[in-house]
Amino acid sequence: MPSDAEALSPLHASVADAVRLGADAVGYTLYVGGPAQETDFRQLRQVREEAQRLGMPLIVWAYPRGAAIEAKGGRDSFYAVDYAARTASELGADMVKVNFPHPEKVSGVKDAYQHEFSPQQAINAVVRSANRTLVLVSGGEKAGDEAMLEKARQSMEAGATGLIFGRNVWQREHDESLRFVARLQEILSKYPYAGVPGA
């Protein structure tokens, strides 16, 4: 994995390859704000055009990276995550995966992000910034059950389409993991149509 100073998603397959293999969608990791952002945007455009031509949904993992991002609150600051969601949407993503924003990380961020925001206000804004692009929220590093369940509740309340909480499931003991997933399912069952256009 390259350092943040060299972050660039290698493009080593085509959308046609994915179609041939029976994929339901294609994905691209976009290092928003990184030093190779221009190249990243160009590669993503190529993938998006091919995905549209072949009728494949495009999922973008929008991850802020690089010195410019670190100087403005860091990769999971509200400012960076909001920027990543908006960028992925404007570049044509059908779905975007973002980190959960941390509004308390304000060092060097633009004035609009210097105010006191609750985590709920921050994730609400991120989902709005994604426009019509569906939002998946990353669980990030393994954390305690209550913190993760609150992150799930806040994400779904904001209108996110879903969650990607892999490490927070797979890094638990089997029985503990099953209990955690059952509690997640209780939350998700309250938002059966979240993020689905026309539902």
Side-chain angles (χ1 to χ4, degrees), residues 47-185:
V47 171
R48 185 195 72 232
E49 288 172 354
E50 195 176 353
Q52 287 173 338
R53 184 173 57 78
L54 296 172
M56 290 289 278
L58 173 61
I59 305 167
V60 173
W61 283 251
Y63 295 144
R65 291 289 187 275
I69 294 293
E70 292 308 315
K72 295 177 179 78
R75 65 177 63 178
D76 60 355
S77 69
F78 174 24
Y79 171 69
V81 174
D82 199 40
Y83 174 64
R86 181 62 180 249
T87 300
S89 175
E90 290 185 4
L91 293 175
D94 296 303
M95 183 174 283
V96 61
K97 178 189 177 197
V98 294
N99 294 319
F100 193 90
H102 287 266
E104 73 278 6
K105 295 185 175 185
V106 295
S107 176
V109 303
K110 294 188 177 261
D111 288 344
Y113 296 86
Q114 289 283 347
H115 305 285
E116 274 194 40
F117 294 99
S118 69
Q120 186 67 63
Q121 290 170 317
I123 190 64
N124 288 351
V126 168
V127 172
R128 277 193 312 272
S129 290
N131 297 307
R132 295 182 60 110
T133 301
L134 304 177
V135 176
L136 297 172
V137 178
S138 172
E141 295 179 7
K142 184 176 179 252
D145 286 11
E146 297 311 316
M148 292 308 303
L149 294 168
E150 182 61 11
K151 185 185 289 190
R153 189 198 62 71
Q154 290 171 336
S155 298
M156 300 311 293
E157 188 66 31
T161 300
L163 312 165
I164 298 182
F165 278 17
R167 283 177 281 177
N168 280 279
V169 173
W170 306 119
Q171 292 180 355
R172 285 174 161 74
E173 292 296 322
H174 183 264
D175 290 345
E176 179 188 353
S177 184
L178 292 177
R179 284 191 296 274
F180 176 68
V181 168
R183 293 183 69 192
L184 271 178
Q185 286 175 323

